[in-house]
Amino acid sequence: MSKQKKGKNSDVIMNEAIRAKEVRLISEEKGQIGIVSREEALKLAEEEGLDLVLISPDAKPPVAKIMDYSKYKYLQEKKKKEARKKQKKIEVKEVKFSCKIAQNDIDFKVKHAREFLEKGKHVKLRVFLKGREMSTPELGIEVLNKIWPMLEDVGTMEKAPTQEGRYISMYVVPKKK
């Protein structure tokens, strides 16, 4: 049984750090024991060779549980790791175009965008506006509107063409299967 007060990383109150006169006690083996004095709860925890951990300090009286705190903490960490493993990371690939792009270049870049979408990656299509092209952003929107029909069958447009500084951007996500 550890004699620690509050942990460095967590705000867990346990064992001698519990200041309440009475606690509602729960045991791992015996279930709900009822309202007992702090000293009696500590004695019961020591008899079982476990920790007395305050679960609900705001309750009247506070709720304490007799448990193996290190094992509990280990299981919580294990659950967090498992949840992180199951999380899906979204990868965004960017394909850049210019306003004065030739059709064969568009076809080549669209082929790559299709491959990314088929692999389940999100694609951000961007048209860079150079110099005087900034005064006519419609040219960039035209390029993206020309590209969209080529990707319609494998992707869904999440964000229509919009201007972001020197770029006209469109966001495409893979279609749900």
Side-chain angles (χ1 to χ4, degrees):
M1 182 167 90
S2 59
K3 300 283 183 195
Q4 70 187 60
K5 290 187 180 185
K6 285 188 180 183
K8 289 177 186 171
N9 304 10
S10 61
D11 295 326
V12 177
I13 302 170
M14 53 194 284
N15 300 328
E16 278 72 33
I18 298 171
R19 293 286 158 232
K21 288 184 176 98
E22 290 183 327
V23 293
R24 182 176 303 275
L25 188 61
I26 301 169
S27 172
E28 283 186 335
E29 287 89 40
K30 300 171 189 166
Q32 182 132 347
I33 294 172
I35 298 170
V36 295
S37 70
R38 175 182 164 263
E39 289 76 24
E40 191 179 334
L42 283 169
K43 193 178 97 181
L44 286 169
E46 202 166 318
E47 283 173 8
E48 291 183 33
L50 300 171
D51 298 308
L52 182 66
V53 181
L54 205 56
I55 293 176
S56 179
D58 300 330
K60 297 285 183 215
V63 179
K65 186 172 183 179
I66 297 174
M67 67 166 84
D68 185 352
Y69 184 68
S70 55
K71 181 180 175 185
Y72 170 76
K73 201 167 152 185
Y74 168 76
L75 291 173
Q76 291 298 92
E77 286 297 316
K78 200 172 175 182
K79 281 182 190 174
K80 280 183 190 175
K81 280 183 184 176
E82 212 48 50
R84 275 195 298 260
K85 275 184 191 174
K86 289 178 185 172
Q87 240 176 19
K88 189 177 179 186
K89 290 189 178 89
I90 297 171
E91 207 173 325
V92 180
K93 292 291 189 173
E94 192 173 296
V95 182
K96 292 181 184 176
F97 301 89
S98 66
C99 287
K100 297 180 177 104
I101 189 168
Q103 185 59 44
N104 63 327
D105 293 333
I106 289 175
D107 295 339
F108 182 76
K109 290 187 177 203
V110 166
K111 185 180 98 180
H112 286 292
R114 287 180 70 83
E115 288 171 6
F116 295 142
L117 288 168
E118 285 165 359
K119 289 179 183 172
K121 295 177 176 149
H122 293 202
V123 178
K124 188 174 196 176
L125 304 168
R126 299 181 107 189
V127 177
F128 184 68
L129 303 173
K130 298 179 208 158
R132 290 192 177 158
E133 291 172 352
M134 282 291 290
S135 62
T136 54
E138 305 84 46
L139 294 173
I141 293 171
E142 277 178 36
V143 171
L144 290 176
N145 286 336
K146 194 168 158 185
I147 293 166
W148 174 238
M150 300 171 173
L151 295 171
E152 243 176 339
D153 59 324
V154 289
T156 308
M157 188 188 304
E158 193 171 272
K159 192 174 130 199
T162 53
Q163 187 167 1
E164 299 170 356
R166 287 193 158 278
Y167 288 98
I168 305 292
S169 300
M170 181 169 76
Y171 202 76
V172 182
V173 296
K175 273 194 174 168
K176 302 262 192 281
K177 291 172 184 166

